[in-house]
Amino acid sequence: ERRNTAGNIALTFAIGRAELDPANPENEIQTKKLQDDLLEIVNGEGTSLKEFHITGISSPEGSYQANKALAKRRTEYAKRQITKVIPDYMMKRVYQNDSSDVAEWSEVAEILKDTLPELADHIMSIVERTKNRDLQFQHIARLPEYRSVIVHTFPKLRRVKYVYKHEVFR
């Protein structure tokens, strides 16, 4: 019997770095839960971990290329933290495919649309008329609500998604 499990964990990283924020105890709780789930599979009788995929997503403020590189480093860091409880020889048998991405400004608009629909529409108009993501940031950063409202959406966009597949033999 093959089973797929997918989910998101919201890990808080130190701003601009590929290290978890030590001031947030939720990081350890979420990492530990996923580690325990994976350990239950690799140590379980008649179960085996077949695939583990992880995607790190960074928020869109700043240079797109810098954010993409940061998301990649954060993905690698999160994967090391999550899988460090599994012996290397077991992880080598698991198909792994890691990726990283940068959240879209349209996701910021989506977060704001219920409480500040005019601001959300303004952000979407910038996104629709400006395809270059660095220029999108420059235009959005000039909005008067940028520091007071928009920057507070960024933590919701910084996340790690995972999927793992395992088999259970009965």
Side-chain angles (χ1 to χ4, degrees), residues 21 29 31 55-56 84 90 94 124 153 163 165:
D21 180 355
I29 292 167
T31 302
T55 302
K84 70 182 178 185
M90 285 184 173
V94 175
M124 282 308 301
T153 65
V163 173
K165 297 179 182 183

Side-chain angles (χ1 to χ4, degrees), residues 7-169:
N8 286 310
I9 52 177
L11 299 176
T12 305
F13 287 88
I15 294 175
R17 298 187 11 222
E19 297 172 10
L20 293 177
D21 180 355
N24 185 346
E26 196 62 32
N27 285 331
E28 188 174 332
I29 292 167
Q30 293 215 19
T31 302
K32 177 89 170 97
K33 184 190 178 322
L34 183 52
Q35 286 174 332
D36 290 347
D37 291 347
L38 294 173
L39 275 174
E40 191 174 311
I41 292 167
V42 298
N43 293 330
E45 192 171 316
T47 61
S48 63
L49 184 63
K50 294 296 182 185
E51 296 182 28
F52 184 75
H53 309 278
I54 188 167
T55 302
I57 302 167
S58 67
S59 53
E61 79 278 11
S63 157
Y64 176 76
Q65 289 304 321
N67 285 332
K68 184 79 170 160
L70 179 60
K72 182 176 178 12
R73 290 193 316 273
R74 286 177 173 173
T75 299
E76 292 165 355
Y77 178 85
K79 180 180 174 184
R80 281 192 311 274
Q81 294 302 306
I82 292 164
T83 61
K84 70 182 178 185
V85 297
I86 300 172
D88 286 340
Y89 75 92
M90 285 184 173
M91 280 308 291
K92 285 181 182 174
R93 296 183 200 154
V94 175
Y95 176 72
Q96 301 173 56
N97 186 15
D98 307 335
S99 61
S100 55
D101 204 358
V102 178
E104 302 275 345
W105 284 105
S106 59
E107 294 176 73
V108 172
E110 184 66 27
I111 292 169
L112 297 171
K113 77 175 185 180
D114 291 334
T115 55
L116 297 166
E118 288 141 12
L119 178 57
D121 289 345
H122 194 168
I123 291 170
M124 282 308 301
S125 71
I126 291 170
V127 169
E128 288 166 2
R129 72 175 186 266
T130 310
K131 297 304 175 195
N132 180 295
R133 292 181 71 172
D134 288 330
L135 290 176
Q136 289 173 0
F137 167 66
Q138 290 173 12
H139 291 298
I140 292 169
R142 287 189 207 120
L143 296 175
E145 303 89 349
Y146 182 77
R147 291 198 187 283
S148 61
V149 176
I150 296 171
V151 296
H152 299 290
T153 65
F154 297 154
K156 295 176 186 170
L157 301 172
R158 299 173 187 134
R159 61 197 183 275
V160 175
K161 297 189 295 188
Y162 65 88
V163 173
Y164 62 83
K165 297 179 182 183
H166 64 286
E167 291 181 344
V168 179
F169 299 97

